[in-house]
Structure formats: structure tokens, C-alpha cells
Amino acid sequence: MERILVIGANGQIGSELVDALAEQHGAENVIAADIGPRSLAGARCYETIDVLDSKRLTTIVAAQGITQVYHLAALLSVTGEQDPLRAWTLNMNGLLNILEIARERKAAGKPLRVFWPSSIAVFGPHTPAVDTPQLTVMDPSTIYGISKLAGERLCEYYFSKYGVDVRSIRYPGIISYKSPPGGGTTDYAISIFHAACSGASYSCFLGPDSTLPMIYMPDALRATMELMAAPAEQIRVRSSYNVAGLSFSPRELAAAIQKQRPSFRIDYRPDHRQAIADSWPQSLDDAAARADWGWNPQVGLADLVEDMLLHVSKVTRLHSQAA
Ligand code: AKB
């Protein structure tokens, strides 16, 4: 039986991952944790944790008999640039605290499997932008990307030096409707649906041809859980896996929305986020993830757009009824 701690449970990924894990492992075995009070309804166990507080983390892991940690707390690419020192401290020291606890638990014969998300932000302007390989030039230009690259090296180090069973995915932009994204460069691909569903036009902060790798939340959750469920000997990459979902530009996404909402209008006003997008890949080669643990994306652009429009419309209707 697994006992699972999800740190960053109130965030975009955490809020959905907690439900998916509860379904698989039983709600009583999933402990949701975040720095503030619980922001989502639900009867499962919740702990208030600052991931920088290693003493409290150690106590909770021991007291709850935790066997798996999903450590999702981080500052993303845009919010990271607003306070680089805070981003570095949170992103690096949070990960180090978890890896140290996993090292100690392993030495005590109580191994802890760790999931930690990396990002396409580990790549930079000199990385091949199309079908970006698993192993390639990495010269990130944001503090977020720098912290994720350093984090990848730490994960591999803790695996090869201490045998810590740490696993990771380089998430593309994740598209979802249940909770808002947290300050990233790929957020436009969510805001655009909220504009389309409330009848507004959308002013995009990236240019029309800024193609980026993206993934729909159900695929992202499946990738995360399949990676964590795979036998340890199959996990040959202990830094972080490229995982591709789909790739599209704002122009292509807008056209797909217009097929279903012909009156939807978009204009383009690139701002400071354009430089970040320009330094990231357009598409990823995820052959290693496919070969090692059977990754296979399922959601294409047309299905993603249809599902997002359906669900964001419902949320928009509920909000306007409540107002
Ligand atoms: C961001 O845009 O910062 C994130 C990411 C790609 O890691 N969504």
C-alpha cells in the first residue's frame, strides 16, 4: 500500500493530481499539502507545509508513513522573473529538502519514491528548437529554467550517489480548466479559452507564430502516474524525461477555436514573455519516454479545443449565475 504526499496540492497540477491519485490509491492514502489553507473542497487529509521547512517535512513524512512524494511547489517562468532570488530559493531548496529526506529514509530502510517536475524551460536559445532531443544543449535564460536544470542535475546525483528513486518529466505548457495556471509563459493557451467562452476577443501576449510544446491535463496526469508506477529498472533517465503532447502556435489554436466559435477574435500584442517563448523548443523528441515506460500521448488539438470549450463554458456560466 502506498502512502502519498502531494506538495503544492492547491496548484494547477496538484489540485487535479490529488483526485487522480485518490482514485487509484484510496483517498485515505493521499495527503494533500500546500503552504496556505486548503483551497479545494474534498474530505481527504490536508497538511499546511512550507517546503522550505525541512523539519516539519521530515516529521510529516515519518508520522504519515509516506512512501511517495510528488513535490510540485515552484515559482514558474514569469513569476520567477519578478523575484529571481525567491524563485531560486524555493525551487532549489525545496527540492534539496525532499531529496535529503529521501536519502535519509532510504538509509533507514524506508525508501521514498519522489516525483519532481522539470520543464521545457531547461532549454535555451542554442537548443535545437524542433524535435528537441532528450540530451542536447541546455542554456536556459530564465531563473526558472536555470533552477530546473540545476534540479535535474541534483535528481541524477541523488540517484547515482545515494540510490534515491527520483523520477521527473520536463512538462510542456499544461492546459487545463479546473484551476488557474500559476504565472507561466504558456498561460495564454488557457486564458484564450476563458475569453472565447465569455464572448470576448483575446489579446495574446505572444506573437501568432510562437509554436510551443503543450499537453492537455489528462495526458499530463497519465504521464506522471505512469512514470511513477513503472518498475525502477525501466527508468533509465534520472534527470528528467522529454514528454511531448502536441505543439501549436497561438494562430493555430485561435483557428481551432474559431472552427467551433466562428465569432471569436484574437489580436497579438507580444510583451516581455515573447523573449522567454522564443528561447524554448517548438516540439520535443520523447523517444526515451516512449521506449522506457511506454509513454503515448492521446489528446490532439481538435479534441483538446472541444473539451476545453465545453468545460470552460460551464465554469463561465456558473460564475455569471453566481454574480
Ligand atoms: C511556464 O510557462 O513557465 C510553465 C512551464 C512550461 O514550465 N508552464
Side-chain angles (χ1 to χ4, degrees):
M1 184 190 68
E2 301 294 348
R3 297 278 299 157
I4 301 173
L5 179 64
V6 181
I7 301 170
N10 291 340
Q12 185 199 8
I13 305 167
S15 54
E16 299 207 29
L17 186 63
V18 165
D19 288 338
L21 289 169
E23 206 163 287
Q24 195 171 81
H25 298 275
E28 67 285 3
N29 290 316
V30 180
I31 292 100
D34 212 312
I35 194 163
R38 184 206 304 254
S39 71
L40 297 157
R44 64 184 60 84
C45 178
Y46 184 88
E47 296 276 0
T48 302
I49 299 182
D50 179 350
V51 74
L52 298 180
D53 183 348
S54 69
K55 264 198 190 146
R56 181 160 161 73
L57 268 176
T58 308
T59 307
I60 286 171
V61 167
Q64 295 280 2
I66 297 298
T67 59
Q68 292 190 0
V69 173
Y70 291 75
H71 166 37
L72 307 173
L75 283 197
L76 299 188
S77 57
V78 175
T79 37
E81 289 310 293
Q82 287 155 12
D83 193 345
L85 215 58
R86 188 165 154 251
W88 177 260
T89 306
L90 174 66
N91 295 2
M92 294 318 305
N93 294 355
L95 173 61
L96 256 179
N97 284 344
I98 303 291
L99 290 174
E100 268 298 289
I101 292 170
R103 181 185 67 75
E104 285 164 10
R105 301 282 294 174
K106 183 164 173 71
K110 294 176 179 160
L112 195 59
R113 184 170 290 181
V114 176
F115 177 82
W116 170 79
S118 185
S119 161
I120 55 166
V122 292
F123 300 116
H126 295 93
T127 303
V130 175
D131 282 340
T132 300
Q134 174 68 41
L135 266 180
T136 186
V137 176
M138 297 167 98
D139 57 345
S141 48
T142 59
I143 193 69
Y144 172 62
I146 294 167
S147 71
K148 288 293 181 187
L149 178 53
E152 286 193 11
R153 304 321 308 150
L154 273 180
C155 288
E156 194 169 302
Y157 182 80
Y158 270 74
F159 170 73
S160 47
K161 190 162 174 90
Y162 304 117
V164 169
D165 186 359
V166 55
R167 305 169 181 211
S168 175
I169 285 173
R170 291 173 181 148
Y171 283 136
I174 298 179
I175 300 174
S176 66
Y177 56 85
K178 286 195 183 154
S179 50
T185 306
T186 55
D187 292 6
Y188 91 84
I190 297 177
S191 313
I192 192 171
F193 286 100
H194 289 271
C197 291
S198 55
S201 60
Y202 182 64
S203 214
C204 186
F205 59 76
L206 298 183
D209 299 315
S210 294
T211 299
L212 288 169
M214 301 280 184
I215 192 167
Y216 198 33
M217 182 63 93
D219 266 351
L221 295 177
R222 202 166 46 75
T224 306
M225 291 165 71
E226 285 176 5
L227 172 63
M228 283 296 271
E233 60 279 9
Q234 282 176 223
I235 310 301
R236 291 182 305 146
V237 174
R238 291 295 181 161
S239 52
S240 190
Y241 279 98
N242 278 5
V243 162
L246 62 168
S247 282
F248 54 76
S249 66
R251 194 201 302 277
E252 288 163 339
L253 179 57
I257 292 173
Q258 279 159 345
K259 274 196 184 147
Q260 303 200 32
R261 305 273 163 124
S263 61
F264 174 64
R265 292 285 167 268
I266 184 165
D267 66 12
Y268 300 95
R269 292 185 208 166
D271 64 14
H272 58 283
R273 290 167 277 195
Q274 184 66 54
I276 300 178
D278 288 344
S279 74
W280 287 355
Q282 295 176 19
S283 58
L284 304 172
D285 174 354
D286 61 1
R290 288 172 187 259
D292 290 1
W293 44 277
W295 166 241
N296 192 15
Q298 287 174 358
V299 186
L301 184 57
D303 289 342
L304 179 152
V305 167
E306 191 179 333
D307 206 53
M308 280 295 284
L309 287 174
L310 182 78
H311 287 99
V312 175
S313 298
K314 277 189 199 156
V315 174
T316 312
R317 255 199 315 278
L318 283 177
H319 282 167
S320 60
Q321 277 161 9

